[in-house]
Amino acid sequence: MYSKESRWGVVALSDDHSSTNNNNFPRHGSHLSSDVAARLAFVSSEGKTRFSRAARRAPHAASGAHRLSIVADLKRRSSLGVPVASYADAGAVASEIADFPVDAVSVCTDELWGGRVEDLAAVRSTVARAEVPILCKDLFVDPVQVALAAELGADAVLLIACVLGSKLEDLLDGATVVGLEAVVEVHTPDEVRFALNCGATTLLVNARDRLGDDPAAASLTQAVGLRDLIPPNILALATGGIRDERTVRLLAAAGYDGLLVGRAVVGQPPDRAEALVAAVRGLETSYVETMLPRL
């Protein structure tokens, strides 16, 4: 047995991948079928690109300007235990949000965010018709978890650099083997450089420092600064502290391709959430740049 120390406690995995602690994926032994094991034994011949294609929207036909994408972060509470939204049927919530429309949906499956592995299957079954890509958000520390996410219908998985450390490259390889895209969450310049050196092609810059003294504080200034370290061929997304159009404009002006938004979409009445989604998806970089001096 080995363990992964994090701010939230120890995630322990035995050699047979059965969990003794707080990680949802290995605990559900009924899902660890031969199909899951087979995904790790053979390299997938059909790698998915649905998430990255949705998150990097094509230029507007008329103006040629880049438009921002939005990924709805479906979760019941924040990583600090603050309630975000109360729902029993994650699939029904995702279906409603997909109709706004959003470009992709992030499904939190770990107890940290009030999630469970069944949420992923429920969301997959309800948004399949709308062809909305799904990002699975969990405390991934073992390739078998990535394989299970693939088996349950995810298009991409979120890998958190400060949790994985030296294991990041192994998990990136695991995602490639099972045919999933990987989104690597980073917060510092060193994490950006480390993730790129490991081969990450999609970065999610979190304005909040999960391991800092005040993980609830969001530094948009740092998020803007980190964008300059990300090459143009790398898909760059931002998250953390995104609550209004002013923040959205600032991040779009910095050159981010899209935003992952939780409380401002999932934790708001549908009319307010839909209005913010429309505002995000309607922004063009050229328009945002002219607004930047006024912010």
Side-chain angles (χ1 to χ4, degrees), residues 157-222:
V157 290
L158 180 70
L159 306 178
I160 304 175
C162 70
V163 170
L164 285 169
S166 61
K167 288 179 62 67
L168 175 60
E169 191 167 3
D170 290 340
L171 271 289
L172 285 169
D173 289 344
T176 299
V177 167
V178 300
L180 295 186
E181 294 186 277
V183 178
V184 180
E185 181 186 300
V186 295
H187 176 73
T188 67
D190 285 344
E191 287 181 0
V192 171
R193 287 187 281 266
F194 175 66
L196 292 174
N197 287 338
C198 286
T201 57
T202 300
L203 297 185
L204 174 68
V205 174
N206 196 335
R208 293 191 172 94
D209 183 0
R210 292 188 184 276
L211 303 182
D213 295 331
D214 186 6
S219 175
L220 294 174
T221 301
Q222 177 157 320

Side-chain angles (χ1 to χ4, degrees), residues 119-186:
D119 289 342
L120 178 56
V123 171
R124 176 77 281 164
S125 65
T126 57
V127 304
R129 190 176 304 173
E131 297 186 352
V132 176
I134 297 175
L135 169 67
C136 182
K137 183 175 177 180
D138 201 285
L139 295 181
F140 290 101
V141 294
D142 191 279
V144 74
Q145 297 170 277
V146 178
L148 180 55
E151 188 70 15
L152 294 177
D155 296 284
V157 290
L158 180 70
L159 306 178
I160 304 175
C162 70
V163 170
L164 285 169
S166 61
K167 288 179 62 67
L168 175 60
E169 191 167 3
D170 290 340
L171 271 289
L172 285 169
D173 289 344
T176 299
V177 167
V178 300
L180 295 186
E181 294 186 277
V183 178
V184 180
E185 181 186 300
V186 295

Side-chain angles (χ1 to χ4, degrees), residues 41-64:
F42 302 96
V43 177
S44 172
S45 61
E46 297 182 357
K48 293 184 179 180
T49 59
R50 280 166 31 96
F51 181 84
S52 59
R53 286 189 285 115
R56 175 174 277 155
R57 296 176 63 196
H60 190 257
S63 65

Side-chain angles (χ1 to χ4, degrees), residues 7 11 48 53 61 67 103 109 143 236 242 251 259 291 294:
R7 184 179 185 86
V11 177
K48 293 184 179 180
R53 286 189 285 115
R67 288 196 173 185
D103 298 286
T109 51
I242 302 172
L251 293 169
L259 309 177
M291 293 293 293
R294 304 181 191 178

